[in-house]
């Protein structure tokens, strides 16, 4: 006998937890299913050494007083252990777990048109019927591993960063190979460099890593700050990226006198976090000259930290390989200094290739590297991958993966034509990766809750994004992309890290303009959706 609910949420990260809390509060019968064994979403899976958030607190937490009132972070950029403890605290305060089914990977869902409900199947065969299916699968739930020849033959431990063993894995005195220098790669390299016998870093493209400027808080300090939290959360929701104190100057960077610009760059550098990426001038990601100025500042600062001149060109090339910030920068604490250590070697995959993974290590074009542990920091089939791997059937019988073969189509990044009553949070064609996770979970989450309450009030039971609205949203996304430098990088923002994936901007790069579109849609009776 299938369970029956008003709403079934897929995913127990910030978005799913918030939906569960708010929908339950609004009187809906709601359940949440997650493939993992605890709340936390990405922080359940990403427990690799060094895994840490790049959004500073208190931005990276829920704004409900009953949650923040008695929670204190010990670091400005908390690590995964503390984030997990935070989710345990959230669970205690909001009593979420009683409505969560863990170990429940959803593998299939089809819409019953006569009953207007989704029939959902978990991997263990469990069935659920739900009026609304809320996708909170995140943008990083499908790990991507390139097809290396011989990968399965490696004798030692070999893990993708997002599938790290929950019981941990020590690097101490081991020969560690790390493939990939994206955000996770940077974090794990720093950690491994501390006690591994050797660390071999296989790099395709150098990361533009920015100084984190970590800070530690005592409980008293954090507690004292809380008087400002209501204001901070308001500012966070009204900001361009969901971080309350990152608001760029509207002037064009290139037009500002050099001395003034350098002072602003320097201040952002010292402040740390994403301040240098998105808190200096608003045209950094759209004007090539301004972008180049930011790049040169970063390059010169970075080169000064590298002892070996050969590494200058490999880690901070004189000419940018892509516009600054068009790939997501990572935050680092001592990343560049790692390469000054004797136990760390950089393998430049622009000069040699990985021919195969062998039982004992990695075979390059010109030599073999012996390894005990292999770390695959190779990223994600981001944004759409979490959904397309579910056999989610449209009313016409095709899967969502088939429908998106030529590119993702959505209305507002929330609704999908031919998939009635499916609503996505933090999904493709929403701001997602350009929006602080918890801010998105709450702001976009409230919009969804309002929609469901509105439908209930009007006794409506079916909502579907129209094809014309989805096409117009896609045109809007294309215009948006063209107004930025983002298409000039082969990034996961553009879906370009996955062979064969359609190249398109997958994340809306203007949070406040996105929210204006959502508000307009709501005010016009959810224009762009067919409701009945
Ligand atoms: P997630 O946290 O991704 O949760 C999705 C959940 O869905 C997972 O638990 C997964 O198990 C579940 N799921 C997926 N598919 C299924 C299925 N078929 N069946 C059942 N369950 C399923 N964002 C920031 O704003 N700032 C940062 O600094 C930042 N750092 C990050 C660092 C790392 C290493 C990673 C991977 C992501 C980071 N993010 C960051 C993005 C992060 O995804 C968001 O901050 C936030 O966690 C999104 O929450 P979510 O609930 O939308 O999704």
């Amino acid at each position: 006998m299938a369970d029956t609910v008003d709403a079934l949420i897929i995913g127990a990260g910030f978005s799913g937890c918030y939906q569960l809390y708010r929908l339950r509060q609004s009187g809906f019968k709601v359940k949440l299913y997650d493939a993992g064994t605890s709340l936390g979403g990405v922080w359940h899976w990403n427990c690799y050494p060094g895994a840490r958030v790049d959004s500073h607190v208190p931005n990276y937490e829920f704004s409900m007083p009953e949650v923040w009132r008695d929670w204190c972070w010990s670091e400005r950029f908390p690590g995964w252990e503390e984030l997990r403890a935070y989710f345990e605290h959230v669970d205690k305060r909001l009593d979420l777990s009683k409505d969560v089914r863990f170990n429940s990977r959803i593998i299939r869902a089809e819409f019953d048109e006569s009953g207007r409900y989704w029939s959902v199947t978990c991997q263990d065969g469990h069935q659920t019927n739900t009026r609304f299916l809320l996708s909170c699968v995140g943008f990083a739930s499908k790990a991507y591993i390139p097809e290396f020849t011989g990968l399965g033959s490696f004798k030692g431990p070999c893990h993708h960063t997002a599938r790290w063993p929950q019981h941990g894995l020590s690097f101490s005195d081991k020969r560690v190979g790390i493939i990939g220098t994206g955000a996770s790669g940077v974090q794990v390299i720093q950690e491994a460099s501390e006690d591994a016998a050797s660390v071999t870093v296989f790099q395709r493209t150098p990361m533009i890593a920015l100084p984190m400027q970590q800070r530690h808080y005592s409980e008293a300090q954090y507690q004292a700050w809380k008087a400002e939290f209501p204001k901070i959360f308001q500012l966070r929701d009204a900001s361009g990226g969901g971080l309350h104190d990152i608001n760029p100057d509207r002037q064009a960077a290139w037009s500002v006198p050099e001395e003034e610009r350098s002072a602003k760059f320097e201040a952002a550098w010292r402040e740390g976090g994403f301040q240098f990426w998105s808190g200096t001038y608003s045209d950094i990601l759209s004007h090539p000259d301004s972008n180049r100025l930011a790049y040169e500042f970063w390059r010169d600062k970075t080169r000064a930290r590298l002892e070996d001149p050969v590494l200058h060109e490999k880690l901070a090339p004189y000419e940018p390989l892509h516009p600054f910030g068009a790939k997501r920068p990572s935050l680092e604490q001592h990343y560049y200094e790692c390469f000054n250590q004797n136990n760390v070697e950089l393998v430049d995959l622009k000069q040699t290739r990985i021919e195969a993974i062998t039982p004992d290590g990695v075979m390059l074009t010109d030599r073999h590297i012996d390894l005990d542990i292999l770390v695959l920091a190779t990223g994600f089939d981001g944004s759409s991958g979490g959904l397309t791997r579910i056999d989610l059937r449209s009313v016409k019988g095709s899967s969502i993966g088939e429908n998106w073969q030529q590119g993702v189509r959505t209305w507002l990044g929330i609704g999908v034509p031919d998939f009635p009553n499916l609503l996505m949070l933090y999904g493709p064609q929403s701001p997602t990766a350009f929006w602080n996770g918890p801010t998105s979970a709450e702001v976009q989450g409230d919009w969804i809750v309002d929609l469901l309450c509105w439908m209930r009030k009007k006794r409506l039971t079916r909502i579907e994004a129209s094809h014309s609205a989805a096409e117009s949203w896609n045109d809007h996304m294309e215009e948006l992309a063209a107004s930025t430098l983002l298409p000039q990088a082969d990034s996961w923002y553009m879906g370009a890290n996955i062979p064969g994936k359609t190249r398109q901007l997958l994340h809306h790069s203007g949070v406040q303009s996105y929210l204006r579109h959502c508000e307009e849609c709501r005010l016009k009776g959810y224009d762009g959706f067919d409701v009945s």
Side-chain angles (χ1 to χ4, degrees):
M1 197 38 199
D3 285 345
T4 304
V5 291
D6 299 325
L8 180 66
I9 301 162
I10 320 175
F14 275 102
S15 305
C17 287
Y18 189 73
Q19 282 301 296
L20 177 56
Y21 162 73
R22 282 289 328 272
L23 286 174
R24 218 168 51 183
Q25 211 177 38
S26 306
F28 289 94
K29 187 176 177 196
V30 51
K31 292 280 176 204
L32 188 159
Y33 292 176
D34 197 291
T37 55
S38 65
L39 301 184
V42 292
W43 304 112
H44 167 77
W45 299 103
N46 290 267
C47 56
Y48 58 85
R52 183 175 293 286
V53 73
D54 285 345
S55 294
H56 52 301
V57 297
N59 296 286
Y60 204 75
E61 64 178 285
F62 284 125
S63 70
M64 293 85 90
E66 65 267 43
V67 178
W68 59 255
R69 200 177 290 129
D70 57 349
W71 176 263
C72 291
W73 297 101
S74 68
E75 291 180 313
R76 185 184 184 210
F77 298 94
W80 67 270
E81 293 101 325
E82 200 171 10
L83 281 150
R84 277 197 181 181
Y86 174 72
F87 273 94
E88 281 172 26
H89 167 76
V90 169
D91 197 13
K92 283 198 193 109
R93 291 294 162 265
L94 305 182
D95 197 16
L96 299 177
S97 281
K98 67 176 184 197
D99 289 313
V100 181
R101 193 174 191 267
F102 293 110
N103 275 317
S104 297
R105 177 168 296 286
I106 290 173
I107 54 164
R108 185 175 168 86
E110 50 196 342
F111 192 68
D112 182 304
E113 195 64 88
S114 57
R116 295 189 163 186
Y117 63 83
W118 281 97
S119 173
V120 178
T121 309
C122 290
Q123 201 159 28
D124 63 2
H126 184 80
Q127 295 275 340
T128 307
N129 295 336
T130 178
R131 167 118 314 139
F132 297 102
L133 186 58
L134 304 182
S135 166
C136 297
V137 299
F139 77 75
S141 57
K142 186 177 175 199
Y144 168 64
I145 301 177
E147 287 180 8
F148 296 116
T149 305
L151 183 61
S153 70
F154 186 67
K155 280 191 312 209
C158 171
H159 302 285
H160 187 281
T161 44
R163 294 293 172 269
W164 205 254
Q166 294 286 328
H167 50 82
L169 177 64
S170 167
F171 292 143
S172 180
D173 297 327
K174 301 283 192 236
R175 297 164 301 175
V176 181
I178 301 171
I179 303 181
T181 54
S184 301
V186 165
Q187 293 182 335
V188 83
I189 289 161
Q190 292 174 98
E191 213 68 18
S193 73
E194 288 182 3
D195 63 350
S198 67
V199 181
T200 310
V201 177
F202 300 90
Q203 172 186 282
R204 198 172 51 175
T205 313
M207 163 58 81
I208 295 186
L210 302 174
M212 175 176 277
Q213 313 289 20
Q214 178 68 294
R215 284 178 213 149
H216 298 272
Y217 302 122
S218 68
E219 203 175 320
Q221 267 174 329
Y222 205 79
Q223 204 60 40
W225 200 4
K226 290 186 181 172
E228 295 171 41
F229 277 18
K231 182 75 197 155
I232 287 177
F233 291 130
Q234 260 178 19
L235 291 171
R236 172 181 96 157
D237 292 356
S239 69
L243 300 167
H244 78 283
D245 52 354
I246 297 198
N247 295 298
D249 193 323
R250 293 263 149 229
Q251 294 181 87
W254 60 265
S255 70
V256 173
E258 192 182 339
E259 208 177 316
E260 185 186 326
R261 187 176 55 243
S262 297
K264 193 170 196 67
F265 280 171
E266 193 62 50
W269 194 261
R270 275 200 307 273
E271 180 57 24
F274 285 145
Q275 202 66 245
F276 187 76
W277 180 33
S278 40
T280 58
Y281 297 96
S282 57
D283 70 335
I284 294 288
L285 267 183
S286 57
H287 197 289
D289 296 346
S290 297
N291 190 277
R292 174 84 192 207
L293 291 165
Y295 181 81
E296 287 176 0
F297 186 93
W298 169 82
R299 178 196 67 198
D300 296 347
K301 285 274 191 197
T302 303
R303 286 184 161 213
R305 295 166 62 184
L306 295 163
E307 286 166 9
D308 179 355
V310 175
L311 287 176
H312 288 186
E313 207 43 35
K314 290 192 189 301
L315 287 165
Y318 190 81
E319 288 298 322
L321 299 176
H322 53 77
F324 167 79
K327 282 191 172 191
R328 183 187 181 278
S330 175
L331 301 189
E332 55 83 28
Q333 302 186 74
H334 56 98
Y335 178 61
Y336 293 104
E337 284 72 17
C338 293
F339 294 94
N340 297 333
Q341 295 177 200
N342 290 333
N343 66 336
V344 179
E345 185 198 1
L346 183 74
V347 171
D348 182 354
L349 295 178
K350 291 201 186 312
Q351 293 189 342
T352 181
R353 281 195 315 131
I354 296 178
E355 297 288 345
I357 309 296
T358 70
D360 303 309
V362 170
M363 189 70 221
L364 297 170
T365 315
D366 48 351
R367 65 190 163 122
H368 186 267
I369 296 189
D370 294 338
L371 298 171
D372 302 312
I373 297 177
L374 186 56
V375 181
L376 305 170
T378 44
F380 301 93
D381 179 356
S383 208
S384 52
L387 259 188
T388 55
R389 78 164 156 180
I390 302 175
D391 186 10
L392 200 56
R393 292 281 150 175
S394 77
V395 286
K396 294 175 183 155
S398 53
S399 72
I400 197 160
E402 286 162 354
N403 278 28
W404 285 353
Q405 198 74 48
Q406 305 306 319
V408 167
R409 291 292 184 279
T410 74
W411 170 225
L412 298 173
I414 293 174
V416 186
D418 295 334
F419 290 83
N421 294 5
L422 167 73
L423 300 166
M424 300 183 297
L425 290 100
Y426 208 61
Q429 297 194 324
S430 285
T432 307
F434 294 118
W435 209 359
N436 177 45
T439 320
S440 168
E442 293 187 9
V443 176
Q444 196 182 43
D446 285 341
W447 192 93
I448 303 271
V449 174
D450 287 349
L451 166 62
L452 297 196
C453 290
W454 176 82
M455 287 185 69
R456 181 175 57 187
K457 196 168 149 207
K458 297 212 167 260
R459 297 178 162 274
L460 299 165
T461 51
R462 191 184 190 281
I463 180 164
E464 182 185 341
S466 72
H467 282 275
S468 59
E471 282 314 314
S472 74
W473 191 245
N474 196 54
D475 293 345
H476 169 69
M477 292 293 295
E478 282 179 6
E479 279 166 25
L480 197 64
S483 70
T484 70
L485 302 171
L486 293 166
Q488 293 181 30
D490 289 336
S491 69
W492 50 260
Y493 292 145
M494 299 295 303
N497 62 322
I498 304 296
K501 192 163 173 171
T502 300
R503 196 183 174 100
Q504 66 179 136
L505 181 61
L506 286 164
H507 305 259
H508 192 287
S509 59
V511 169
Q512 290 306 319
S513 87
Y514 170 79
L515 290 176
R516 282 193 292 278
H517 283 282
C518 291
E519 180 60 0
E520 197 182 318
C521 164
R522 188 184 71 81
L523 290 174
K524 290 185 180 164
Y526 296 97
D527 189 29
F529 289 100
D530 297 324
V531 270
S532 56

